[in-house]
Each structure stands twice: as C-alpha cells, then as structure tokens.
Amino acid sequence: GESVGLHLPTLSVQEGDNSIINCAYSNSASDYFIWYKQESGKGPQFIIDIRSNMDKRQGQRVTVLLNKTVKHLSLQIAATQPGDSAVYFCAEKRGFQKLVFGTGTRLLVSP
Amino acid sequence: DTAVSQTPKYLVTQMGNDKSIKCEQNLGHDTMYWYKQDSKKFLKIMFSYNNKELIINETVPNRFSPKSPDKAHLNLHINSLELGDSAVYFCASSQDPGEDTQYFGPGTRLTVL
C-alpha cells in the first residue's frame, strides 16, 4: 500500500541548532516530493520541493535530501530559529495524481 | 493580498444542520482542492476541480458536495452534519492538475456539537 510517514512526531531543538526532520515513503513510483510548514492556526505553506531525478536541493536555510534507494526524504533546517516552530509535512506526488501527505512532525525550538 | 481565502474561519453548528464553506483564489489558477485535517493533523484530499470540473473525488460521503461557480471559487456544502465532520477544512489551488505546488488557504475550523 501507499504510505508517507515520519519517524518522529515531535522534535525539540535549541535555537541555533540544525534540525533534521525525516520522512519515509513506500511507493517508488513517486516522482515529486514537497515539504510544507504549518504554523498554528494557519494553512500549510510550501517550503521546498525535489524531483525524483535529484538527490539534494537547497533553499534559504533549508535543504532537502532524497534517498531513493531506501525511500527516505529529509528536511534540514540550518540555524533553527523560534519562528521555525511549526508542524512540518512531507508529501509525495505521482504524476498527475493526488498529493499524499505524511502525518507531520512538530518542531519545537527553545531559546 | 490574500492568495487563497476561506470563509468562515470558524464554524460551530449542531448535528443535522447544513452548512457551507466558501473558498476563493486570486492567483489565476485553474485547479482547486478541498482537504480535511483531523485532530491528529493528518491532511487528506477530498476533492479537486480543474476549470470548474471535478477531477478527484476521494470516497467522501455524499453529504459533502463541492460546487465551483467559476475557476476562482470552490465552495463546499455539507448536509446533515455529523460529529465526525469536526475538523479543519483547507482549500488549496494550483496552476493546473499537473502543477506540483499547491497554495493553501488559512483553513476553516468546523465544530459539530
């Protein structure tokens, strides 16, 4: 069956640390992966994406790594700030089919 | 300028009632979506419309009926509300069904008593 899951439901880090949020997927046919950030009381906000023909993609303070061999996706946030506290979702897509979301990881950043 | 907007933000109602949630996007996108987020934060797609036509219907009860009067609007009408309908409902849009980036609205928290 299909599944997009996360290893850790809650991740607590200190301000300034680097954060790594992990995600596993089961369908090797997925060709597009997205990370969304959802702050309390708001809708999911696009952070970064990666296609299956890439292993790594960098944005501003964020990096997404894709390991197709083990069907693993990770989001790295450098120098984590209190404003990064939110729930992070990975999502996968297969061509024109629906976007499938993982269960989410709550990131808590303490000063 | 709000890209994807929803009204109302909060909706509290009794079981058995009928209610509607409205969604509008000013991004010029062709495709719009409705998602349901449960109490455990799990997000699941309900419907997708492309240029006013239904393209995804994810085994949602018939009590839920989306309506798209034009491609900038996708409203969700719910009949005979049940306790299990309590959730946060998100509207989203994308340029087209193949466009991967979806832009989400702020959500509507529905509470059924």
Side-chain angles (χ1 to χ4, degrees):
Chain A
E2 61 180 68
S3 70
V4 179
L6 292 171
H7 296 309
L8 299 172
T10 302
L11 176 64
S12 296
V13 300
Q14 294 284 329
E15 181 178 0
D17 286 352
N18 295 331
S19 302
I20 300 176
I21 301 172
N22 297 303
C23 178
Y25 64 97
S26 61
N27 192 327
S28 58
S30 293
D31 56 11
Y32 182 71
F33 304 88
I34 314 168
W35 281 100
Y36 278 91
K37 172 186 180 183
Q38 186 178 18
E39 297 176 272
S40 181
K42 297 184 179 180
Q45 180 184 6
F46 172 88
I47 302 174
I48 193 168
D49 58 2
I50 190 167
R51 297 199 177 275
S52 58
N53 60 352
M54 302 170 68
D55 296 324
K56 179 180 180 179
R57 191 166 188 214
Q58 287 185 294
Q60 187 177 10
R61 283 200 307 118
V62 295
T63 301
V64 56
L65 298 177
L66 176 63
N67 185 332
K68 294 179 287 293
T69 302
V70 295
K71 300 188 186 69
H72 185 266
L73 190 69
S74 68
L75 176 71
Q76 299 179 3
I77 305 174
T80 313
Q81 302 168 1
D84 295 326
S85 293
V87 177
Y88 290 81
F89 294 94
C90 68
E92 63 173 320
K93 198 167 184 285
R94 308 171 185 95
F96 279 63
Q97 297 182 18
K98 63 184 179 182
L99 195 61
V100 177
F101 281 82
T103 54
T105 291
R106 186 177 300 278
L107 177 64
L108 299 175
V109 183
S110 51
Chain B
D1 292 341
T2 304
V4 182
S5 59
Q6 297 177 227
T7 55
K9 187 167 178 62
Y10 300 96
L11 186 53
V12 181
T13 188
Q14 298 285 333
M15 280 176 53
N17 284 350
D18 303 337
K19 291 293 179 184
S20 293
I21 307 172
K22 295 185 177 181
C23 178
E24 176 181 3
Q25 53 95 4
N26 62 7
L27 297 167
H29 289 167
D30 286 342
T31 309
M32 296 184 72
Y33 311 81
W34 275 110
Y35 285 85
K36 180 180 180 180
Q37 187 173 47
D38 62 23
S39 58
K40 296 181 179 179
K41 296 288 189 181
F42 186 65
L43 259 173
K44 188 173 182 194
I45 191 168
M46 300 172 67
F47 301 102
S48 174
Y49 270 70
N50 183 58
N51 209 3
K52 301 192 298 176
E53 291 192 10
L54 180 67
I55 55 172
I56 294 177
N57 184 342
E58 285 289 308
T59 58
V60 177
N62 292 335
R63 299 182 296 103
F64 291 78
S65 53
K67 284 187 171 53
S68 183
D70 55 63
K71 70 175 191 177
H73 295 83
L74 181 61
N75 304 323
L76 183 64
H77 188 76
I78 315 170
N79 290 326
S80 303
L81 278 155
E82 301 177 357
L83 293 176
D85 297 332
S86 295
V88 181
Y89 292 83
F90 288 99
C91 177
S93 74
S94 65
Q95 185 61 52
D96 56 53
E99 174 62 32
D100 303 304
T101 303
Q102 296 181 15
Y103 297 85
F104 284 78
T108 296
R109 181 175 293 277
L110 172 64
T111 303
V112 183
L113 303 175

